[in-house]
Amino acid sequence: MTRGVLDDIKTAFDIDDDKAGLLQTAFVVSYMVFAPIFGYLGDRYNRKYIMAGGVLMWSLTTLAGSYMNSYGSFILFRLFVGIGEASYSTIAPTIISDMFVKEKRSHMLALFYFAIPIGSGLGYIVGAHMASSLGSWHWALRLTPALGIASVLLILCLLEEPVRGESEGTRVEASHNTWWEDLKLLFTNKSFMLSTAGFTCVAFVTGALAFFGPSFLILGFKLIPGDDSAKEDVSFKFGVVAMLSGLIGVPLGPFLSQLLRSRYSRIDPLICAAGLIISAPICFFAILSPTTNKTLCYALIFTAELFLNLNWSIVADILLYVVPPSRRSSAEAYQILFSHALGDASSPFLIGLVSNNLKKILNPDSFTIPTNTSVPVTSSDVVDFHSMQYALFITCFIEVLGGLFFLLNAIYIRRDKEEAEKEASCDALPEPTHFIANDPREK
């Protein structure tokens, strides 16, 4: 939501791009640092109350942050928001895993992971609209807490804590391993490590495009002769494109997986690999196109992000079937830690650093300054655009690297799935206790 009103926040606190970027970094750092803590707790204690507490904390600190009048206090509450989000992001997929199995689980994970691209797109649209309609950016942060409180009430009143492993025909007790023992077992799981590495590449690209996308397009569109697009128009359209690509891409991944799984047992990592490798050249041409044709640029961004979004729910499903139920919360936590630390927490800084250094070495005389534009264009504007353009090309190479990780994952996926099932298996199948869970005794 803050991205949709980022310029207003910068003006309110009189901060530059570096401090504005630190708001996102603070959120992501607290999110990834506390994820392993909630993962450890989720494998040992009641997940329902941990998740409800996290949503409540997220809601209250988001609301409180909107009333802060100094940059220091505002960034402090961004840290608290990250802690709250870490709890339910870590635990919610494992609860879904214990309520559903096979195709039903894939469907529910796809529904759950709608929140990422759809929420990101709505953040641009709703945030800017609320600030414009009510005259202050603060109101952009006062809408979602009400929805969060409603979610807490629904969790406490309607959600029943499912037995770990119940939907798979097992009754797994809470983990009695030490933190170090769980960590060693996860790090020797090749499918978990490789899918996490591939997903980190997805997070890197997603984070870079989400953070710099609108401002990069504004720089590029400014160089098109006759263009008169406003900043709000670009942010709105970018948000719509991001939301639609998620609306189609997130469920398309598991749909393709279920369609092909009976013929190809390794199809999940292969779909993830194909999505990244196909997205890379499309992303490359999207980054090339802002100075030529806006419609083509938006179409290329949509297509590139659609293929990128094939990964979200499939990666979550891979984790759930290659890791036994007793370690799934910890596995979710460490996947969050690594994918954010090396992905969307670092990519805005890295892309910005490369762009700033390129500004110092690019020769303005080597670029043609366009004429007949709606606003005067200087050599500095052209250098700013091309420095960011060259820096964003890094995302294309990262996508190819992520595709290679998933191709390697396909080598080990079947073996690791069988080992996880073997560890979780038991002789006697329990009576199902959750009203949604599949009865594992049904043939």
Side-chain angles (χ1 to χ4, degrees):
M1 188 69 77
T2 55
R3 292 170 182 167
V5 292
L6 186 59
D7 287 343
D8 293 330
I9 292 174
K10 288 167 63 177
T11 301
F13 294 124
D14 191 22
I15 56 176
D16 295 323
D17 288 339
D18 55 349
K19 288 187 176 180
L22 190 59
L23 293 173
Q24 178 68 5
T25 300
F27 166 81
V28 174
V29 167
S30 64
Y31 177 69
M32 68 186 189
V33 167
F34 279 85
I37 297 174
F38 287 114
Y40 180 88
L41 296 174
D43 282 333
R44 291 159 176 80
Y45 302 103
N46 190 297
R47 293 169 291 179
K48 169 182 174 178
Y49 296 114
I50 296 172
M51 187 167 66
V55 176
L56 180 62
M57 182 177 185
W58 178 88
S59 303
L60 295 179
T61 52
T62 298
L63 180 62
S66 71
Y67 290 97
M68 297 299 106
N69 296 317
S70 69
Y71 175 76
S73 57
F74 185 72
I75 200 171
L76 176 64
F77 277 92
R78 289 295 293 166
L79 289 167
F80 291 140
V81 170
I83 296 172
E85 185 155 336
S87 67
Y88 62 81
S89 296
T90 302
I91 290 171
T94 67
I95 292 180
I96 293 173
S97 174
D98 290 331
M99 294 167 64
F100 305 96
V101 71
K102 296 182 179 180
E103 289 80 6
K104 289 184 180 180
R105 181 165 69 188
S106 297
H107 291 154
M108 294 303 107
L109 287 172
L111 184 62
F112 176 77
Y113 282 99
F114 264 140
I116 296 170
I118 301 301
S120 178
L122 285 175
Y124 291 108
I125 299 169
V126 178
H129 179 73
M130 292 289 291
S132 176
S133 300
L134 299 175
S136 172
W137 63 269
H138 301 84
W139 289 100
L141 304 181
R142 295 171 185 170
L143 172 65
T144 50
L147 301 176
I149 297 298
S151 298
V152 172
L153 295 175
L154 290 173
I155 291 169
L156 293 176
C157 297
L158 300 181
L159 179 65
E160 297 180 23
E161 168 79 352
V163 177
R164 291 173 177 84
E166 178 184 55
S167 64
E168 296 159 281
T170 65
R171 187 183 292 274
V172 180
E173 298 297 328
S175 176
H176 298 293
N177 290 340
T178 65
W179 170 83
W180 180 244
E181 288 172 336
D182 279 345
L183 193 62
K184 286 193 295 184
L185 289 169
L186 288 173
F187 278 26
T188 56
N189 187 323
K190 290 184 173 62
S191 290
F192 169 74
M193 295 301 294
L194 287 167
S195 62
T196 298
F199 187 65
T200 299
C201 295
V202 174
F204 184 99
V205 176
T206 302
L209 295 180
F211 195 82
F212 288 111
S215 59
F216 171 67
L217 294 184
I218 290 169
L219 287 171
F221 294 164
K222 185 179 179 181
L223 305 181
I224 300 176
D227 176 70
D228 59 353
S229 295
K231 288 184 180 180
E232 293 77 15
D233 185 48
V234 172
S235 295
F236 176 82
K237 288 182 178 179
F238 187 86
V240 170
V241 166
M243 186 171 61
L244 290 177
S245 66
L247 189 65
I248 299 172
V250 171
L252 182 59
F255 172 78
L256 293 174
S257 171
Q258 293 168 29
L259 187 66
L260 300 171
R261 189 173 291 169
S262 61
R263 286 181 284 174
Y264 307 102
S265 60
R266 307 173 193 271
I267 193 62
D268 283 350
L270 293 178
I271 290 175
C272 292
L276 282 167
I277 293 171
I278 293 172
S279 176
I282 301 173
C283 186
F284 176 83
F285 288 111
I287 296 169
L288 278 179
S289 64
T291 57
T292 57
N293 186 293
K294 290 188 293 183
T295 302
L296 175 64
C297 180
Y298 282 124
L300 289 170
I301 291 172
F302 168 80
T303 308
E305 292 202 351
L306 185 148
F307 281 103
L308 190 65
N309 284 325
L310 295 180
N311 287 266
W312 289 102
S313 60
I314 294 181
V315 170
D317 208 8
I318 289 174
L319 181 149
L320 294 172
Y321 66 65
V322 300
V323 176
S326 61
R327 290 194 294 277
R328 283 175 181 165
S329 290
S330 294
E332 289 282 352
Y334 288 114
Q335 189 169 88
I336 288 172
L337 172 63
F338 291 117
S339 63
H340 285 290
L342 302 177
D344 55 351
S346 60
S347 62
F349 172 75
L350 177 61
I351 299 298
L353 181 65
V354 172
S355 177
N356 285 337
N357 281 282
L358 286 173
K359 289 178 185 178
K360 300 174 184 177
I361 63 176
L362 290 178
N363 183 2
D365 296 333
S366 62
F367 302 108
T368 302
I369 301 177
T371 57
N372 193 30
T373 56
S374 58
V375 294
V377 175
T378 65
S379 59
S380 177
D381 294 326
V382 178
V383 169
D384 287 347
F385 169 75
H386 284 288
S387 63
M388 180 57 67
Q389 182 184 58
Y390 297 158
L392 285 173
F393 282 143
I394 295 173
T395 59
C396 304
F397 294 100
I398 296 297
E399 284 191 289
V400 174
L401 179 62
L404 294 177
F405 282 130
F406 281 117
L407 288 176
L408 289 173
N409 188 186
I411 299 173
Y412 303 100
I413 190 77
R414 191 162 59 186
R415 184 201 67 184
D416 291 336
K417 180 180 179 181
E418 291 172 353
E419 289 183 357
E421 290 172 349
K422 182 178 179 180
E423 182 176 339
S425 64
C426 62
D427 294 330
L429 295 174
E431 292 286 339
T433 59
H434 197 283
F435 70 97
I436 299 179
N438 305 73
D439 188 339
R441 298 166 298 171
E442 292 182 356
K443 301 298 182 182

